[in-house]
Amino acid sequence: ITIARDAHGGQGPLVTANGAAAVTIALNLLFGRQTQVLLDNLATTAQSVVTLNTFDLNFVTGNDGLLSGNDGRAALLIQNTVGTTVAPVLVQGNSFTAPISVGVNGFTGGTMDAIRIVDSRLVTASINAFRGVRFAFRTQNVTATSINRAVADSISTLVSAEGLDSLTLNNDT
């Protein structure tokens, strides 16, 4: 999948997979302050992969006023995806960058989350990098989700777990 900077006009997800058996989203440069990839209700018999993508959460020229960054939006949203024996989604080797500003209290990061996982089970995230995002991972009602070797700057909060979450964190910085 290749997405140009202005391919979507800055509204709604750039890539959506709903009920798919298996999806691979790899080697893309995705721009904008909207949910860039939405994975919803994926099949649990095969693994979907989001790998080696660059998520740039800066405003796209001409769309600055369209979107609020304070509404819980995330660059990658995984929801209603419940694996039983295989992790339904592997998120690996991606980078997420949001604008960083300098205020009276020092550096402040973006107002968007990088990865949000909702009502899902057995999602695995490994070797992802985060710069300037509000939360690297924001989870709600997830079970047996594994976060491995995530690298976040000192501005980003690594994990915000909301609800009845069961997470495993390994070698994160």
Side-chain angles (χ1 to χ4, degrees):
I1 298 171
T2 303
I3 305 296
R5 181 180 198 106
D6 59 352
H8 205 274
Q11 297 180 23
L14 298 173
V15 178
T16 301
N18 189 337
V23 176
T24 298
I25 300 169
L27 300 169
N28 295 291
L29 179 56
L30 304 162
F31 290 88
R33 295 193 51 78
Q34 75 275 11
T35 298
Q36 297 169 353
V37 176
L38 169 61
L39 304 179
D40 188 13
N41 196 29
L42 297 182
T44 59
T45 55
Q47 187 175 62
S48 291
V49 179
V50 179
T51 186
L52 302 174
N53 297 289
T54 299
F55 292 84
D56 184 334
L57 308 182
N58 282 295
F59 284 110
V60 175
T61 303
N63 292 324
D64 290 3
L66 293 178
L67 304 170
S68 166
N70 295 312
D71 60 4
R73 187 175 290 121
L76 172 58
L77 174 59
I78 301 166
Q79 61 187 17
N80 305 315
T81 298
V82 180
T84 52
T85 57
V86 63
V89 181
L90 171 64
V91 180
Q92 182 172 344
N94 300 287
S95 68
F96 297 83
T97 303
I100 297 174
S101 60
V102 179
V104 294
N105 296 320
F107 293 104
T108 57
T111 54
M112 275 186 68
D113 303 333
I115 301 171
R116 182 154 167 76
I117 307 169
V118 180
D119 296 324
S120 297
R121 182 171 188 263
L122 294 178
V123 175
T124 299
S126 183
I127 317 171
N128 294 288
F130 307 91
R131 181 177 180 268
V133 297
R134 178 177 46 193
F135 298 110
F137 296 92
R138 189 166 163 211
T139 64
Q140 183 176 7
N141 300 325
V142 302
T143 305
T145 292
S146 179
I147 300 171
N148 304 302
R149 297 191 319 199
V151 178
D153 62 14
S154 60
I155 295 170
S156 304
T157 300
L158 185 59
V159 176
S160 173
E162 305 166 0
L164 303 173
D165 292 349
S166 170
L167 304 172
T168 301
L169 304 175
N170 296 308
N171 299 317
D172 299 304
T173 58

